[in-house]
Amino acid sequence: MNTTIKDVAREANVSPSTVSRVLAGNPRISDETKERVLETIKKLNYHPNAIARSLANSQTHTLGLILPSEGDDLFKNPFFIQVMTGISVYAQKKGYYIMYAFSKNENEEVNFIKNYTNSRLVDGIILLTSRANDKCIKFLNKISYPFVVVGRPENTENTLWVDNDNFQAMYKVVNTLIMKGHRSIAFIGGPKDWNMSKDRLDGYKRAFQVHGINFNDNLIAQENDFTEECGMEGMRKILDFTMPSAVVTTDDLLAFGANAVLEEKKIKDISLVGFNNTPLAAYQTPSLSSVDINANKLGYYAAKLLIDKLKDSSITDNHYIIETNLIERDSII
């Protein structure tokens, strides 16, 4: 027969409710009692019935993860895999499951969220994007449902969020290139309505202003997606206008596409920098310099913020800023 919570309680000489509180991570249980119960659980090889627990305490111990359309092909954009890995590590540590939803557009994201929240399938929602006038954030705030955003939301006061300092990260990249003597530096970015895209573009522009260098808007190409094809398109637009000495991008995939065009045209004297420091960056020719945004940490701390808040609503911490590092490789000349 399967071991029950009553068997654990009897063996540990505590009540079944105490066992439940230990499993839920209740901070009011003493360390001695917690250790005794956990040792008994291990000894009896007890596995909690997730469905029974959710019915008993109105919690599913499941988080809903909403992936944007850009995440449909995870193998093409490792960023999402890295963030999801970080989320899973913390969730697993705390006994939570993850329910994934892939969407084609923002309206579909909202519909998935409505299904999750109306049916109470999940205890909280994790969003992997933050847009201008974000419909998902507005809906979740309207119904007061627990959620966290990977990315800086427009209103940060009452929202859980995790992000890099994207402004500062791009500023440092452009500043590094300027200090190496570059003056004509092009920018290839993703969707304009993503707050991350706006912050990185602002950092790019600010670096020129600080150094008193004028730049031309024709050096800026913003595409509709973070793909190699978009990087190729952006690079072609820039080359149609001028031959820059350096190109910065907001994603490694955009940089891969830009590099493909440079190779195609046999152009070898342009510095190139990506973002996310994906595993393939080091294997480009030349090896791609890239900003490591610590995507695993972004996911880990997003899950931590949400789960900690679900367990203790009095927690006041509402965001984390994750550090970034420019990894210089052969593509910076």
Side-chain angles (χ1 to χ4, degrees):
M1 293 179 63
N2 292 332
T3 303
T4 68
I5 196 168
K6 291 182 179 179
D7 296 328
V8 174
R10 190 182 307 111
E11 181 76 15
N13 196 27
V14 296
S15 67
S17 61
T18 298
V19 177
S20 293
R21 291 190 184 98
V22 170
L23 291 170
N26 191 312
R28 296 181 180 179
I29 303 297
S30 69
D31 289 340
E32 185 213 346
T33 301
K34 188 185 300 181
E35 186 177 344
R36 187 166 76 250
V37 169
L38 291 175
E39 285 180 356
T40 304
I41 287 172
K42 186 175 181 181
K43 174 184 173 183
L44 299 181
N45 195 28
Y46 171 66
H47 298 283
N49 186 312
I51 296 175
R53 283 175 63 191
S54 67
L55 290 172
N57 58 22
S58 299
Q59 293 180 336
T60 65
H61 280 80
T62 302
L63 305 177
L65 179 57
I66 309 298
L67 287 136
S69 56
E70 290 81 1
D72 283 348
D73 189 343
L74 296 178
F75 294 103
K76 281 189 177 179
N77 197 334
F79 165 77
F80 292 105
I81 293 179
Q82 292 170 323
V83 173
M84 290 160 64
T85 299
I87 290 170
S88 298
V89 167
Y90 192 82
Q92 185 174 335
K93 183 191 297 187
K94 295 298 180 179
Y96 277 75
Y97 303 94
I98 305 294
M99 186 177 292
Y100 300 96
F102 294 85
S103 59
K104 296 176 182 176
N105 52 56
E106 190 175 6
N107 288 331
E108 192 168 86
E109 288 176 31
V110 174
N111 288 333
F112 276 123
I113 291 171
K114 286 181 178 178
N115 289 336
Y116 280 165
T117 56
N118 289 339
S119 58
R120 295 281 166 175
L121 286 171
V122 297
D123 295 337
I125 299 287
I126 300 177
L127 303 175
L128 292 191
T129 59
S130 178
R131 304 178 177 90
N133 300 311
D134 198 291
K135 295 178 182 178
C136 298
I137 292 176
K138 285 183 177 180
F139 175 76
L140 287 164
N141 275 327
K142 181 180 178 181
I143 65 172
S144 299
Y145 209 88
F147 73 99
V148 65
V149 186
V150 177
R152 179 187 59 80
E154 289 181 300
N155 179 11
T156 60
E157 187 175 350
N158 298 311
T159 302
L160 301 179
W161 61 282
V162 178
D163 203 0
N164 310 114
D165 187 337
N166 287 296
F167 173 93
Q168 194 62 233
M170 182 59 82
Y171 174 88
K172 288 180 179 178
V173 169
V174 178
N175 183 67
T176 296
L177 292 170
I178 290 174
M179 296 302 289
K180 289 179 180 291
H182 293 279
R183 293 297 180 270
S184 178
I185 304 171
F187 176 98
I188 302 176
K192 293 180 181 180
D193 63 338
W194 285 34
N195 291 337
M196 170 270 287
S197 296
K198 293 179 182 179
D199 289 345
R200 291 179 186 173
L201 180 57
D202 287 344
Y204 163 84
K205 291 179 177 179
R206 182 61 178 158
F208 281 101
Q209 292 169 356
V210 167
H211 286 274
I213 302 171
N214 293 324
F215 69 91
N216 193 304
D217 284 337
N218 288 316
L219 283 170
I220 298 172
Q222 286 203 270
E223 304 301 317
N224 296 324
D225 207 342
F226 299 101
T227 64
E228 289 188 46
E229 292 75 18
C230 286
M232 294 175 73
E233 181 65 22
M235 190 72 253
R236 290 192 180 106
K237 288 177 185 175
I238 290 164
L239 291 176
D240 284 344
F241 168 70
T242 189
M243 181 75 73
S245 66
V247 178
V248 296
T249 71
T250 60
D251 190 283
D252 281 354
L253 294 184
L254 294 172
F256 294 168
N259 191 45
V261 171
L262 295 178
E263 285 189 348
E264 173 189 294
K265 295 182 178 292
K266 296 182 171 29
I267 300 171
K268 297 184 178 180
D269 55 352
I270 293 181
S271 290
L272 181 62
V273 182
F275 250 85
N276 297 351
N277 194 34
T278 53
L280 289 177
Y283 298 98
Q284 295 292 297
T285 305
S287 57
L288 179 67
S289 300
S290 184
V291 177
D292 189 342
I293 64 171
N294 291 297
N296 278 26
K297 273 192 176 182
L298 287 170
Y300 183 93
Y301 281 96
K304 175 176 171 55
L305 268 179
L306 182 56
I307 292 172
D308 289 358
K309 191 72 171 179
L310 288 170
K311 288 179 175 292
D312 183 359
S313 60
S314 68
I315 290 176
T316 56
D317 292 340
N318 79 320
H319 75 282
Y320 288 101
I321 299 295
I322 305 302
E323 71 278 6
T324 61
N325 303 287
L326 172 60
I327 309 299
E328 291 194 42
R329 299 190 178 96
D330 297 338
S331 68
I332 290 184
I333 302 171

